Amino acid sequence: MKFNYSTHFKNCVQSVKEEGRYRYFAQLERIVGSFPNAIYTSPEGKRKNVKIWCGNDYLGMGQHPKVLAAAQDAIEKCGAGAGGTRNISGTTTYHVELEECVADLHNKEAGLVFSSGYVANEGTLSTLGKLMPGCVIFSDELNHASMVHGIRSSKCQKFIFKHNNLDHLEYLLKQVDINLPKIIAFESVYSMEGDIAPIEEIADLAEKYNALTYIDEVHAVGIYGNRGGGVVDERGLMDRIDIIEGTFGKCYGSMGGFITGDAAVLDAIRCYASGFIFTTSLPPATLAASRAAVDHLKESQEERRVLHENVALLKGLLRKSGLKFYDGDTHIIPLIVGEPTCCREVTNILLDEYNIYVQPINYPTVPRGTERLRLTASCVHTKEDIHYLAEVLEHLWIHNHVFNEVKNIEDIEKLKVCV
């Protein structure tokens, strides 16, 4: 019998639906001057105004006048696209200036801009591993998929250490010849947990065992530090980290990824990383917008101040309501539901009845049994917005019983299906 391609892939999708983790994409139009408001278009074509509570534009830079003006100026001067790959006619003045800008942000010798944060992680880690004979990579078990992809593509020997567990990391480091090249790859802010890595202690271990340090700061750049350099900036640790990776697609409100570090290392990545070499480069308008956002947040403290104030308010209201969430030291608030179908139902109720948009976070983004709502209060949410969200969630918790009755947030694997 001939292989039936259509039936096979329909069955693949059906199995995802049966597990309750099929991904439905919400069609949204953000409204300039009115973030975090957006127009939602339902599958039936009906449109209504909603409030976004799961976005990554934490500081509202996607609508900042300086950012919009920079993008408009660049598109009027240079047109829509870059015209090629970085190697073939696609390196513009905007690329060069943005790379100098992020190098300055992290006080590093050089910067390198990629088409996305995913490509930056995958391309850099895979290339580093391939270029160093006998390289061994140590990776936090909760590292982003892009980091996992890069490490896997490097074909290096790898060790996975328990999340933020220094004892386990050191135990694994001891198993490897100290003279072999090594990389410790980890994140600063873990976006699904809302916690922060023990960066200084990891840097100490890297020094002790002769390893390079590679940190993903995508959910931290712009938000932490006096100039927005991330958690390493805030903690005065930039000189302890060899390669810092970030993105323009979150708090800078634009698109693209980058790395900063030693000039020789970055030049090697530029020469060997396929994801950098063989893709059309970012357009001038996007690069100009990114630079305007980075430059603004090097100077302005107001956006960061309001963000952290709003996060503190929302966390306080959720605690008062008895809602269970990972109460970390970051701006990210993972509100635990614990079952995929229930998680989807919660978000449907919020969208349909309360005009609140939050995307459910299910497996494989998070482990099964830890399904959650990832709430992100931004600096452009009002205090009224925050109180309304907290009131709605408390109402659903108390009266509708749509959340799990989580008894012990640390014992997440024991979560049961909501009823």
Side-chain angles (χ1 to χ4, degrees), residues 372-400:
R372 65 199 67 178
L373 309 184
R374 177 182 169 275
L375 302 175
T376 53
S378 72
C379 78
V380 291
H381 284 96
T382 66
K383 300 299 185 289
E384 291 77 13
D385 293 336
I386 296 168
H387 279 278
Y388 178 68
L389 173 68
E391 289 168 5
V392 168
L393 292 173
E394 181 179 16
H395 174 78
L396 294 179
W397 169 261
I398 294 174
H399 298 289
N400 292 49

Side-chain angles (χ1 to χ4, degrees), residues 51-274:
K51 194 85 63 176
I52 298 175
W53 273 102
C54 58
N56 291 331
D57 191 357
Y58 303 123
L59 300 183
M61 297 307 294
Q63 66 177 348
H64 195 282
K66 290 181 181 178
V67 174
L68 299 182
Q72 290 165 355
D73 181 67
I75 202 167
E76 288 172 3
K77 288 180 177 177
C78 300
T85 65
R86 288 292 299 271
N87 183 51
I88 305 176
S89 81
T91 293
T92 69
T93 300
Y94 297 97
H95 289 87
V96 175
E97 291 179 346
L98 182 56
E99 288 172 343
E100 292 172 349
C101 177
V102 293
D104 170 74
L105 175 69
H106 289 146
N107 195 28
K108 298 294 186 184
E109 289 183 350
L112 193 64
V113 170
F114 292 77
S115 56
S116 72
Y118 190 106
V119 176
N121 270 335
E122 189 281 326
T124 302
L125 285 168
S126 64
T127 303
L128 286 172
K130 291 173 183 176
L131 291 181
M132 294 189 290
C135 181
V136 181
I137 301 180
F138 299 82
S139 175
D140 188 288
E141 66 177 339
L142 294 187
N143 277 343
H144 189 265
S146 58
M147 301 176 75
V148 174
H149 185 180
I151 293 166
R152 184 181 296 120
S153 297
S154 75
K155 295 183 169 54
C156 288
Q157 182 182 14
K158 65 179 182 294
F159 291 94
I160 311 300
F161 61 92
K162 296 175 183 177
H163 179 53
N164 285 346
N165 190 316
L166 295 167
D167 291 336
H168 191 221
L169 173 58
E170 182 163 25
Y171 168 78
L172 295 174
L173 285 163
K174 288 178 179 178
Q175 312 306 309
V176 178
D177 185 342
I178 196 169
N179 295 310
L180 286 175
K182 307 172 193 67
I183 303 168
I184 302 175
F186 62 108
E187 302 181 33
S188 60
V189 173
Y190 286 86
S191 65
M192 293 301 154
E193 311 301 307
D195 59 357
I196 296 176
I199 302 171
E200 184 172 13
E201 292 83 355
I202 289 176
D204 290 340
L205 289 176
E207 185 175 326
K208 181 177 179 180
Y209 292 97
N210 187 35
L212 283 175
T213 46
Y214 180 98
I215 193 168
D216 175 316
E217 286 258 40
V218 297
H219 286 276
V221 287
I223 298 175
Y224 300 93
N226 191 53
R227 301 173 74 231
V231 180
V232 289
D233 178 15
E234 182 179 67
R235 299 184 179 183
L237 298 170
M238 284 191 290
D239 61 335
R240 304 288 311 280
I241 303 298
D242 296 297
I243 300 175
I244 301 172
E245 186 265 350
T247 185
F248 306 113
K250 293 183 171 52
C251 106
Y252 292 126
S254 182
M255 179 183 177
F258 66 90
I259 56 172
T260 63
D262 180 84
V265 175
L266 267 63
D267 201 21
I269 302 300
R270 185 186 69 86
C271 291
Y272 286 91
S274 295

